[in-house]
Amino acid sequence: MRHQVGPYRIYILLFLLILVTAEIIWSWKKERGAYEVKETLANLTVFAGFQFSKYLFAGYQLAILGVFSGLTPLKFPHNGWVFLLTFITADFIYYWFHRISHSWKPLWAFHLIHHSAMHMNLTAAYRLNWFSAIVSPLFFIPAALLGMPSDFIVISYVFNLAYQFFMHTEAVGKLGVIEKVMDTPSSHRVHHGSNPIYIDKNFGGVLILWDRLFKTYQPETEPVKYGLTTGFLSHNPFKLVFQGFMDWFKPVSSPVSKGNSTPHLEASPRK
């Protein structure tokens, strides 16, 4: 996949840059204050580190899925219907991966950084932990054991994350009936909210159906307050990446960053 996407990488980055620039202009003209210089620079630095980490962990991720694909006698063919099945399965798995990341201290250590942004904009989408690739493929092992092609699993997850990039914006309002089926910017703004009503809601990646099915859906009904419930964390990308791990190893009695979650754990934010 790297060889297929590689030649177009520069065009993809240019497209993303155009979208970010357009959102900055929109925010400025509408006086929305969606961007803050230091936070945006931190987001871009974290993004650069995340891009580098993908090269480090790509082989590991494929190896994990490849090993478990080889252990099962089940083998799905490579065709459009199987890809659709894999995509839906991967989205279902992502829902639970994401939901558990808000309720289990070790996974929140990886995920805290994503909820530390105080502003919702497209650059915040890639405020991702540099080491998240260590744990994410483990959740997709069941799909491999079911016989779904490992390359289809990887592509489905990549598409899932790519789709979510467009969810991180205030420039798009509610989308009517689409809100009932798909994750939308409105639904995802709720997910990033530290308002009590918004905590631990809307975990879906592409489909919001899982949230509706498992009772974690919440529509956007009041202005969203972004960030961890403890407030501003840092503009230092290394502190942003490692703060969750430092909280993880703190004694239970120690105060930790509470952010975008209501887990019944000392270290999971948003409570």
Side-chain angles (χ1 to χ4, degrees):
M1 185 174 177
R2 185 189 304 174
H3 296 298
Q4 294 172 334
V5 175
Y8 302 100
R9 187 178 299 275
I10 185 64
Y11 299 108
I12 294 172
L13 290 175
L14 284 174
F15 176 64
L16 298 181
L17 179 61
I18 290 170
L19 289 180
V20 169
T21 302
E23 188 183 43
I24 291 173
I25 294 172
W26 167 84
S27 176
W28 171 63
K29 286 191 172 183
K30 298 290 185 179
E31 298 182 346
R32 295 296 294 267
Y35 280 83
E36 192 274 327
V37 174
K38 289 184 178 180
E39 182 172 278
T40 301
L41 291 175
N43 293 347
L44 295 176
T45 304
V46 170
F47 171 69
F50 181 74
Q51 291 296 104
F52 178 71
S53 74
K54 289 198 296 186
Y55 286 96
L56 293 180
F57 296 116
Y60 158 79
Q61 291 177 299
L62 290 172
I64 290 289
L65 295 175
V67 166
F68 286 92
S69 291
L71 294 177
T72 178
L74 303 174
K75 301 292 179 185
F76 280 97
H78 281 70
N79 60 47
W81 289 110
V82 171
F83 179 76
L84 179 61
L85 174 63
T86 304
F87 185 84
I88 294 173
T89 302
D91 194 61
F92 176 73
I93 290 173
Y94 175 81
Y95 168 84
W96 285 105
F97 171 41
H98 194 182
R99 184 170 174 174
I100 295 170
S101 293
H102 278 247
S103 59
W104 190 37
K105 189 174 180 179
L107 286 185
W108 177 256
F110 292 90
H111 194 53
L112 176 149
I113 182 176
H114 190 62
H115 287 279
S116 62
M118 303 297 291
H119 301 80
M120 176 62 91
N121 58 61
L122 293 173
T123 67
Y126 286 111
R127 201 175 177 103
L128 301 171
N129 198 290
W130 299 338
F131 304 99
S132 59
I134 295 174
V135 296
S136 57
L138 303 178
F139 279 79
F140 293 90
I141 289 173
L145 291 175
L146 287 172
M148 297 176 191
S150 56
D151 55 342
F152 278 10
I153 297 171
V154 172
I155 294 170
S156 295
Y157 186 44
V158 169
F159 282 173
N160 192 298
L161 295 180
Y163 176 82
Q164 290 183 57
F165 168 78
F166 301 98
M167 302 300 100
H168 293 78
T169 183
E170 292 186 318
V172 179
K174 293 190 177 183
L175 299 177
V177 68
I178 295 175
E179 304 277 346
K180 296 183 180 299
V181 180
M182 307 287 291
D183 189 15
T184 65
S186 177
S187 295
H188 205 66
R189 287 192 292 269
V190 166
H191 177 69
H192 277 263
S194 59
N195 316 44
I197 193 176
Y198 292 155
I199 292 175
D200 282 345
K201 301 297 182 182
N202 301 357
F203 296 107
V206 175
L207 299 175
I208 205 69
L209 291 174
W210 313 123
D211 288 284
R212 292 183 177 275
L213 179 63
F214 297 110
K215 311 301 182 184
T216 54
Y217 176 71
Q218 169 64 45
E220 187 178 20
T221 56
E222 63 184 44
V224 183
K225 179 183 178 181
Y226 302 109
L228 305 172
T229 54
T230 47
F232 174 72
L233 178 59
S234 178
H235 289 316
N236 183 326
F238 292 98
K239 181 174 177 60
L240 293 172
V241 169
F242 291 103
Q243 183 63 51
F245 301 112
M246 291 189 290
D247 287 351
W248 179 8
F249 291 107
K250 282 181 181 178
V252 173
S253 59
S254 298
V256 296
S257 345
K258 295 289 183 183
N260 192 295
S261 185
T262 102
H264 305 292
L265 291 169
E266 291 285 338
S268 202
R270 282 313 179 88
K271 188 173 180 181

